[in-house]
Amino acid sequence: MKTRISERFNRLKRENRTAFIPYIMAGDPSLEKTRDVVLLFEECGADIVELGVPFSDPLADGPTIQRASERSLQNGTTLRKVIALVQDLRRTTQIPLVLMTYFNPVFKYGVESFITDAVRAGVDGVIIPDLPPDEAKEFIRFSGKTGLDTIFLLAPTSTEDRVKKVAHASSGFIYYVSITGITGSSLLLDGSMEILLSNIRKHTGKPIAVGFGVSTPEEASAVAGMADGVIVGSAIVKRLFETPDALKDFLIRLREAIKQHRTL
Amino acid sequence: MYGGRFAPETLMPALHELEEAYLSSKKDKDFQRELVHLQKTYIGRPTPLYFAGRLTEHLGGARIYLKREDLAHTGAHKINNALGQVLLAKKMGKKRVIAETGAGQHGVATATAAALAGLECEIYMGTEDMERQALNVFRMLLLGSKVTEVPVGSRTLKDAINEALRDWTTNVRTTHYVLGTVFGPHPFPVMVRDFQSVIGREARKQILAAEGRLPDYLIACVGGGSNAMGLFYEFLGDAAKMIGVEAGGRGIESGEHAARFAGGSIGIFQGCKSYLLQDEDGNVLGTHSVSAGLDYASIGPEHPFLRDEGRVRYTYANDEEALAAFGLLSRMEGIIPALESAHAVAEVIKLAPTLSRETVIIVNLSGRGDKDVQQVAKIKGIEL
């Protein structure tokens, strides 16, 4: 099925470019602000936007996104409101939008209702860090009919069996967790990532985006040379409360770093 | 269906590896011999099954037996699981173990087993629990462990588990996570139950020796639910009625409790599907109990299974009832129970007088109350 995400990756491939995928926690500090930031991401050259859904117990996240999640919950953000935000955004932008949420809010919402409502609102894909494909049969069955991409994760610890399983179950792209750890940890660029990514590519032709530890334009550039997409989360969330120009400047520097990798 | 393996990909290979290592350890005669030897010579098993004559007389009904897990080394049943997992970690070649703790008993047990095995150990504990269980914090330090405060979220057990899972995700190659209860992603619920099932195996033999028959009732408190599973498991095929007692805190209607069955619904949390105290958007609610060890938003996934089957009945005791039971058992039997175990005793106080004098109850006295003495004094307004 043709989705906004797969069409974007096809276009990038033709243009020999790597996707820039910035992340923001929805509702931090407010849903209005998130709306503006998503449009700013697009203006600064983002290819796909990842929208975080807050959860009380974000066990895959480091301190930066934990705090963003707490702030967002304090402001009353819910999964339902994030879906409504996407619906609102769809009046102004067609950029591919991916929700990153823990599974319990989705489970409580009802898997089938969530998928129906999310697709209707204009959500293109979901990343659920505590829902490995092993537990996602029902989710995949419902989403497959709707064209919602299910983006599963691979990690440096993944065995060959897991690589096959995750690559097979993923649609849109595969999320490669660049570090053995939680979001916002420091990246180790020692050449091992290149080997691990080429191992994954032996089993799949699906696009691979790398995230979790990318925090500087230099790192983004290095990762862009190996991957089909670069995801930047915590480093952007940290700059949210600096001046609007500082965030914009950082986004443009990331975009340029990702664009220039091929000639470096 | 409950349980499952709702874990980040980084941990999935480690969970597979753990399952394989665990299953092979069950068949490994040397491993089992060492475990049994240490259960006997180090933990002090079998723990006694004690007939509580004065309490029985006082309540005027069923004959009450206490399974004395409070007499196990370190003062609670937690050591049964901690020792098993630490031996397994060593067999797997791990250099370091980590654990979460609420009341501090599992932290102390893991720190103890790590000292015995010569492994590095780090314990995660919520700020609020560190304050109310200061004595156990110092015990862990004496045992050579590092204790790391978790000042986020509700600052109790669930947040300590989140932080331990984050540590495990980061250090999974060198570290084993000694999860303290029958919870989390598979194989933890099964493995922890098996390490705890020694309680029921012993109790079955002991009651047959004492009464010449099997018990009519088994009663245990349920936080995550490991002492209850440990007692119940061996009796599941028998006729004995089983009661799990959750923490009713300040009452179900107050919202300040940890009674997952009375006040929760099915959810997915910290690796498995089970009953969960959550709001309508799927965020986990804060809990309250006078006992830190029962102060947890979810419950081991085998419990809802046993409840659905109608095999185990679940009820709750509130803070006041637990405190009253804490006092009564201390005065009647000279045994100061942990506040967790006092919840099970509170149910005995309600139930025993309604039963005949021929009825036999076994209650799991899962831990000793020394750790709670300071807190109880504080509640009573007494300065020590």
Side-chain angles (χ1 to χ4, degrees):
Chain A
M1 200 179 287
K2 260 192 186 172
T3 64
R4 280 195 198 93
I5 294 172
S6 62
E7 282 181 3
R8 179 64 58 128
F9 274 109
N10 287 340
R11 196 175 92 200
L12 289 165
K13 199 174 180 184
R14 284 197 302 275
E15 295 169 1
N16 193 27
R17 288 202 295 129
T18 301
F20 171 36
I21 310 175
Y23 165 99
I24 181 159
M25 172 61 72
D28 172 32
S30 69
L31 288 164
E32 295 71 41
K33 171 80 176 173
T34 304
R35 189 179 175 280
D36 294 344
V37 172
V38 170
L39 297 176
L40 178 69
F41 283 172
E42 188 176 31
E43 185 195 324
C44 296
D47 294 292
I48 297 170
V49 170
E50 206 183 299
L51 268 182
V53 177
F55 179 53
S56 53
D57 294 84
L59 56 84
D61 284 303
T64 302
I65 293 178
Q66 283 176 45
R67 281 197 291 270
S69 188
E70 271 181 27
R71 286 191 297 266
S72 174
L73 285 175
Q74 273 161 16
N75 297 332
T77 311
T78 62
L79 179 55
R80 215 166 278 280
K81 288 183 184 172
V82 178
I83 292 171
L85 169 71
V86 171
Q87 190 160 15
D88 183 38
L89 276 163
R90 279 293 171 239
R91 292 191 294 186
T92 31
T93 174
Q94 293 308 309
I95 193 164
L97 289 168
V98 171
L99 297 190
M100 178 149 180
T101 176
Y102 288 87
F103 190 45
N104 199 50
V106 171
F107 179 79
K108 187 72 181 166
Y109 196 108
V111 167
E112 202 171 356
S113 319
F114 164 75
I115 291 170
T116 308
D117 292 356
V119 169
R120 194 175 292 154
V123 174
D124 299 298
V126 286
I127 301 165
I128 308 179
D130 60 346
L131 185 71
D134 317 53
E135 300 289 355
K137 287 189 187 76
E138 188 197 9
F139 196 98
I140 293 169
R141 189 154 45 83
F142 288 132
S143 59
K145 295 181 209 156
T146 63
L148 181 74
D149 280 323
T150 50
I151 297 143
F152 291 104
L153 299 95
L154 279 170
T157 52
S158 299
T159 55
E160 193 168 334
D161 280 353
R162 303 243 12 118
V163 170
K164 283 185 200 163
K165 186 173 217 165
V166 170
H168 178 75
S170 296
S171 57
F173 63 91
I174 295 164
Y175 192 134
Y176 181 73
V177 175
S178 57
I179 36 142
T180 308
I182 52 179
T183 58
S185 309
S186 5
L187 193 63
L188 184 67
L189 288 165
D190 59 355
S192 61
M193 193 192 300
E194 198 152 16
I195 298 165
L196 291 161
L197 288 174
S198 69
N199 276 339
I200 299 171
R201 292 203 198 278
K202 281 182 204 154
H203 299 283
T204 181
K206 290 174 186 171
I208 304 169
V210 172
F212 263 49
V214 185
S215 64
T216 65
E218 292 70 31
E219 287 168 350
S221 173
V223 169
M226 301 179 254
D228 304 297
V230 181
I231 303 163
V232 185
S234 300
I236 289 173
V237 172
K238 271 183 199 163
R239 282 171 177 81
L240 199 61
F241 297 97
E242 294 176 8
T243 63
D245 284 348
L247 177 61
K248 189 171 177 176
D249 175 62
F250 183 61
L251 292 168
I252 290 169
R253 286 199 294 133
L254 285 170
R255 169 71 275 177
E256 290 311 306
I258 291 167
K259 207 182 269 178
Q260 281 166 15
H261 75 271
R262 307 264 179 201
T263 53
L264 278 176
Chain B
M1 277 294 285
Y2 303 99
R5 197 174 264 164
F6 295 87
E9 175 60 27
T10 306
L11 294 179
M12 291 298 279
L15 292 166
H16 284 289
E17 183 199 10
L18 178 61
E19 185 178 17
E20 276 170 32
Y22 172 62
L23 291 176
S24 93
S25 78
K26 280 174 90 168
K27 292 179 219 143
D28 181 338
K29 288 206 176 91
D30 290 338
F31 182 89
Q32 292 301 329
R33 201 175 298 126
E34 188 184 8
L35 180 62
V36 170
H37 177 71
L38 288 172
Q39 282 174 340
K40 191 175 166 193
T41 60
Y42 189 71
I43 298 180
R45 305 207 70 89
T47 58
L49 184 72
Y50 165 73
F51 174 63
R54 290 235 307 142
L55 184 67
T56 296
E57 207 50 46
H58 175 76
L59 295 173
R63 296 168 62 76
I64 301 158
Y65 284 85
L66 306 178
K67 179 59 175 164
R68 299 290 308 274
E69 290 303 295
D70 61 317
L71 292 178
H73 181 42
T74 70
H77 73 292
K78 291 291 183 189
I79 189 75
N80 301 328
N81 167 53
L83 179 69
Q85 284 200 48
V86 166
L87 292 179
L88 188 60
K90 196 167 185 185
K91 185 172 175 252
M92 291 169 75
K94 304 289 181 186
K95 303 276 178 256
R96 175 174 178 263
V97 290
I98 55 170
E100 83 293 346
T101 197
Q105 289 302 111
H106 176 57
V108 167
T110 305
T112 298
L116 173 73
L119 298 182
E120 190 191 329
C121 181
E122 183 167 354
I123 307 294
Y124 289 92
M125 194 168 184
T127 307
E128 191 180 322
D129 291 337
M130 283 179 82
E131 283 162 11
R132 55 182 168 178
Q133 300 292 350
L135 187 69
N136 271 343
V137 174
F138 188 60
R139 287 171 81 193
M140 290 181 263
L141 296 174
L142 284 174
L143 291 160
S145 280
K146 188 177 167 193
V147 180
T148 300
E149 179 180 346
V150 181
V152 298
S154 63
R155 310 186 306 160
T156 58
L157 181 57
K158 83 173 173 77
D159 310 285
I161 295 178
N162 286 338
E163 210 51 37
L165 283 167
R166 290 181 188 119
D167 180 316
W168 200 31
T169 305
T170 307
N171 301 300
V172 62
R173 289 185 174 93
T174 57
T175 299
H176 172 67
Y177 176 20
V178 183
L179 206 131
T181 190
V182 288
F183 198 71
H186 183 70
F188 282 108
V190 172
M191 177 172 71
V192 176
R193 177 201 68 199
D194 289 352
F195 283 134
Q196 291 294 0
S197 62
V198 66
I199 300 171
R201 278 200 302 279
E202 289 174 4
R204 201 168 194 282
K205 276 186 210 154
Q206 290 165 323
I207 198 70
L208 285 172
E211 291 279 338
R213 67 181 186 90
L214 291 170
D216 300 294
Y217 285 88
L218 300 170
I219 300 175
C221 66
V222 186
S226 71
N227 91 79
M229 282 314 303
L231 177 65
F232 295 167
Y233 190 60
E234 193 68 16
F235 293 93
L236 285 176
D238 301 321
K241 295 189 174 77
M242 301 179 186
I243 303 171
V245 187
E246 298 185 276
R250 298 191 178 102
I252 304 304
E253 53 295 330
S254 73
E256 295 177 57
H257 61 85
R260 289 66 48 100
F261 288 129
S265 56
I266 298 175
I268 285 138
F269 184 52
Q270 292 178 335
C272 66
K273 186 193 276 190
S274 184
Y275 270 68
L276 177 64
L277 292 170
Q278 56 184 328
D279 66 17
E280 57 183 5
D281 297 302
N283 288 301
V284 179
L285 291 171
T287 51
H288 164 80
S289 169
V290 68
S291 80
L294 303 184
D295 199 351
Y296 183 57
S298 192
I299 180 169
E302 204 165 350
H303 287 287
F305 172 77
L306 292 170
R307 180 175 177 257
D308 289 357
E309 296 269 290
R311 186 65 192 89
V312 181
R313 183 167 73 80
Y314 293 85
T315 182
Y316 55 86
N318 63 29
D319 287 353
E320 255 175 58
E321 293 167 329
L323 286 164
F326 179 90
L328 185 71
L329 193 70
S330 302
R331 290 190 306 275
M332 282 288 153
E333 297 290 349
I335 297 169
I336 302 175
L339 280 173
E340 289 77 14
S341 321
H343 285 71
V345 177
E347 176 60 21
V348 173
I349 293 171
K350 290 178 212 170
L351 182 70
T354 70
L355 301 170
S356 76
R357 288 173 185 272
E358 288 71 49
T359 313
V360 173
I361 296 178
I362 297 178
V363 53
N364 200 5
L365 204 72
S366 55
R368 57 192 285 166
D370 303 50
K371 70 182 174 58
D372 298 313
V373 167
Q374 252 178 331
Q375 199 204 346
V376 171
K378 202 173 147 195
I379 291 168
K380 289 179 182 283
I382 299 165
E383 288 235 8
L384 295 182

